[in-house]
């Protein structure tokens, strides 16, 4: 056809949701092929010209081999895992089955991902979001803790609170473990400082003087107070000795 006819053509390329909005229906044989691809965890994409399907192909984002092991470890730690995806239900359920996630929110837009997170937060649940794409950015901002992979898009990295430098989901487990170690250290510092002050402040105020006629000179009391701060700082510096946990994660077996 000539260039004039080509300019009048309406060309669409996208998933089922887009084609349904355009009134495009695939042939029955093509629909069966698409369902088979979706049940295998792949996304079927249609190419239509003037309302007629011209071609269909399937694309897939391969799962990271450590994904299932990471999910199992998180669940063993008492952290519930959910998946929010723009893929259709068949594709999302296939991926969820492969990684061991049953709470699946599929076929949703970036804004709807935010709605899912806010609904969880209304139930007094602290939400951590792991993502690496442009579509994940709003959800990363809305979550209590946004975690982005270092290999992700610049927008996702900017939106996240926590950026994993390696392209490895095992670092999510390390981030959780390191955060717990940090909180334990903070609580230990509070306890140490409280006990120290409960004991030393009365001594500096002369609590033993009525019975023993002993009291701390001002310079000793001042030095003891400084020692309290130094001991807390030294305790915090022990986090430099943190070692990441040794994990044995099984590979994902994609069916």
């Amino acid at each position: 056809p000539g260039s004039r006819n080509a300019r009048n053509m309406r060309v669409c390329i996208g998933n089922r949701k887009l084609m349904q909005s355009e009134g495009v229906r695939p042939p029955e044989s093509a629909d069966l092929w698409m369902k088979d691809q979706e049940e295998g965890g792949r996304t079927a994409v249609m190419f239509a010209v003037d309302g007629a399907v011209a071609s269909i192909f399937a694309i897939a984002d391969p799962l990271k081999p450590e994904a299932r092991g990471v999910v199992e470890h998180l669940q063993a730690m008492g952290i519930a895992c959910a998946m929010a995806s723009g893929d259709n239900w068949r594709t999302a359920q296939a991926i969820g089955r492969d990684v061991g996630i049953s709470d699946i929110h599929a076929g949703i837009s970036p804004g709807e991902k935010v709605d899912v997170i806010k609904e969880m937060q209304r139930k007094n649940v602290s939400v951590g979001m792991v993502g690496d794409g442009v579509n994940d950015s709003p959800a990363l901002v809305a979550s209590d803790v946004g975690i982005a992979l270092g290999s992700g898009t610049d927008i996702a990295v900017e939106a996240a609170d926590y950026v994993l430098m390696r392209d490895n989901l095992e670092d999510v487990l390390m981030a959780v473990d390191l955060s717990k170690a940090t909180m334990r250290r903070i609580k230990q510092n509070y306890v140490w400082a409280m006990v120290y002050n409960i004991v030393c402040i009365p001594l500096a105020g002369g609590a033993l003087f009525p019975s023993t006629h002993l009291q701390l000179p001002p310079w000793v009391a001042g030095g003891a107070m400084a020692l309290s701060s130094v001991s807390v700082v030294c305790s915090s510096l022990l986090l430099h000795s943190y070692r990441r946990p040794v994990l044995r994660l099984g590979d994902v077996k994609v069916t």
Side-chain angles (χ1 to χ4, degrees), residues 209-237:
F209 185 80
S211 59
T212 64
H213 296 285
L214 294 176
Q215 59 182 1
L216 293 179
W219 66 271
V220 174
M225 201 63 199
L227 182 62
S228 172
S229 300
V230 172
S231 62
V232 169
V233 171
C234 292
S235 175
S236 300
L237 290 175

Side-chain angles (χ1 to χ4, degrees), residues 63-71 167-170 249-252:
L63 293 174
K64 296 182 180 297
E66 72 277 7
R68 187 179 185 89
V70 170
V71 170
D167 187 24
N168 193 319
L169 291 176
E170 290 183 23
L249 304 181
D251 289 349
V252 174

Side-chain angles (χ1 to χ4, degrees), residues 70-88:
V70 170
V71 170
E72 290 176 349
H73 272 73
L74 288 173
Q75 292 171 340
M77 295 165 65
I79 300 175
C81 297
M83 183 173 73
S85 173
D87 290 326
N88 61 75

Side-chain angles (χ1 to χ4, degrees), residues 64 66-67 69-75 77 79-81 128-132 140 145-150 162-180 242 244-245 247 249:
K64 296 182 180 297
E66 72 277 7
V70 170
V71 170
E72 290 176 349
H73 272 73
L74 288 173
Q75 292 171 340
M77 295 165 65
I79 300 175
C81 297
M129 169 71 184
V130 181
D132 61 356
L140 288 170
V145 180
I147 302 175
L149 298 179
Y162 202 124
V163 180
L164 307 179
M165 301 310 296
R166 299 193 310 162
D167 187 24
N168 193 319
L169 291 176
E170 290 183 23
D171 287 350
V172 174
L173 296 175
M174 189 200 72
V176 174
D177 186 70
L178 178 57
S179 298
K180 289 185 175 182
Y242 172 82
R244 60 184 299 143
L247 304 171
L249 304 181

